[in-house]
Amino acid sequence: MKRIFLIALLGSAFPALADRLPMPANAPASFTSECSSCHIAYQPALLQANDWRKLMAGLSEHFGSDATVDRKTEQEITAFLERNAGSASRLGNAGNPPRITQTARFIRKHDEIPTKYWRDPRVKSKANCEACHPGGAKGSYSEHDISIRELRE
Amino acid sequence: MMRAIPAVALLLASLACHAETPQQIRQIYVAEATSQQAGFAPSAKRGDAFFRQRFAINDKMPACTSCHTDSPLNAGQHAVTGKAIKPLAVAANPDRLSDPAKVEKWFGRNCKEVVGRACTPAEKSDFVTYLSEVR
């Protein structure tokens, strides 16, 4: 009886876990201040280690912006991202330059979103997680919290 | 002469201990501009014009106002990602112009992206003067 309860509990916990990507507690201050000035500080689990390394090596041409940081900060942030990176097999290829929105996981999770919503002025860009996921910066991507009413299904 | 030494020491100590003020940051740029152009005086009016100038180098960010709105007293929004940006003016956001390294970093990035080249010390002096005085 106890075992069934445990299985039921685990079963109900997994879908919730899939939408929870908490920021690791040991995030260095430089990660938050540098990465969140133009977009939310994306959780390290959103890309695999190899892709984070590629991204950090190309900060001078960071999606049209110069996002270079000093050498020490770069090493600190890269080490943090590598340490907490997501699983390569779950995420899939992120392209070059690596984009979170190009990972198989992101595409699968968003495959039902019609194009017009990506173009919505409230959304602007796929990089703007918080347009639909108000708790995105805190790692909450639950489908129940989608802030654009028409997308909450 | 001897009396000036403790005053200088005190000034240096205060620079090291406290967050720098907008005036101190302005002085850094004015000193640099003066070394290139004798008698240089910063102007908030020129800084205001610079803020509004359309450089049109970058489609998404043709001017400072593209992300920072028509007034540095307003909160802005990143033109590409939609990320909220706190006001630039010291009167609206006391954290502004309190860290010279941060100011220099953002001049570096934004001048390259929006102006299409590095900003001159004179432009930085004017801009910092504008942001510290605008109400």
Side-chain angles (χ1 to χ4, degrees):
Chain A
M1 197 53 197
K2 234 175 165 179
R3 182 176 293 176
I4 292 171
F5 180 71
L6 194 68
I7 291 169
L9 195 72
L10 278 173
S12 66
F14 276 126
L17 273 178
D19 298 323
R20 284 284 314 158
L21 285 174
M23 187 62 75
N26 57 355
S30 60
F31 170 74
T32 322
S33 63
E34 291 297 337
C35 305
S36 72
S37 40
C38 299
H39 51 66
I40 64 163
Y42 300 119
Q43 288 77 20
L46 290 168
L47 281 180
Q48 54 175 295
N50 207 23
D51 284 326
W52 281 127
R53 271 192 293 272
K54 261 191 243 169
L55 189 110
M56 290 300 293
L59 284 183
S60 60
E61 299 277 335
H62 186 68
F63 306 107
S65 285
D66 177 1
T68 42
V69 295
D70 64 63
R71 183 109 188 92
K72 186 175 154 274
T73 307
E74 186 187 314
Q75 285 169 344
E76 183 177 67
I77 295 174
T78 308
F80 164 72
L81 291 169
E82 284 178 343
R83 217 166 41 237
N84 297 284
S87 130
S89 59
R90 283 190 66 200
L91 290 164
N93 189 2
N96 196 14
R99 289 175 185 270
I100 292 168
T101 54
Q102 289 297 304
T103 57
R105 182 171 193 268
F106 182 99
I107 294 168
R108 177 167 46 79
K109 290 266 182 192
H110 296 87
D111 61 0
E112 78 283 20
I113 313 291
T115 315
K116 68 170 181 176
Y117 287 108
W118 295 118
R119 299 210 182 110
D120 189 298
R122 291 170 290 182
V123 177
K124 270 183 188 300
S125 155
K126 286 185 181 175
N128 185 9
C129 305
E130 283 186 310
C132 301
H133 303 286
K138 294 193 183 77
S140 171
Y141 295 93
S142 164
E143 288 186 26
H144 304 296
D145 296 336
I146 306 290
S147 56
I148 294 183
R149 184 180 291 275
E150 309 90 285
L151 288 177
R152 214 187 297 145
E153 283 161 5
Chain B
M1 184 58 191
M2 278 306 277
R3 280 170 76 185
I5 292 172
V8 170
L10 202 67
L11 181 70
L12 288 176
S14 77
L15 287 177
C17 298
H18 298 111
E20 314 253 343
T21 65
Q23 288 83 349
Q24 285 162 343
I25 290 175
R26 173 162 51 181
Q27 275 164 19
I28 297 170
Y29 289 126
V30 170
E32 219 181 315
T34 309
S35 75
Q36 295 180 350
Q37 184 191 332
F40 172 82
S43 149
K45 205 174 156 209
R46 281 197 309 258
D48 186 351
F50 186 80
F51 178 70
R52 283 161 218 296
Q53 190 174 334
R54 273 183 70 86
F55 299 96
I57 292 291
N58 183 324
D59 289 348
K60 288 181 174 142
M61 305 169 183
C64 304
T65 55
S66 315
C67 295
H68 296 290
T69 82
D70 286 341
S71 166
L73 293 158
N74 294 342
Q77 198 189 26
H78 195 284
V80 178
T81 68
K83 171 86 188 177
I85 302 173
K86 289 179 188 157
L88 283 178
V90 177
N93 177 4
D95 286 345
R96 290 297 183 194
L97 307 183
S98 59
D99 178 351
K102 202 170 165 188
V103 173
E104 185 59 12
K105 182 175 89 177
W106 285 101
F107 269 132
R109 288 181 180 178
N110 290 350
C111 293
K112 190 171 163 187
E113 281 172 26
V114 178
V115 183
R117 57 167 172 81
C119 292
T120 65
E123 285 166 337
K124 293 178 190 173
S125 304
D126 292 343
F127 197 67
V128 164
T129 303
Y130 172 54
L131 294 186
S132 50
E133 291 177 3
V134 64
R135 293 278 183 280

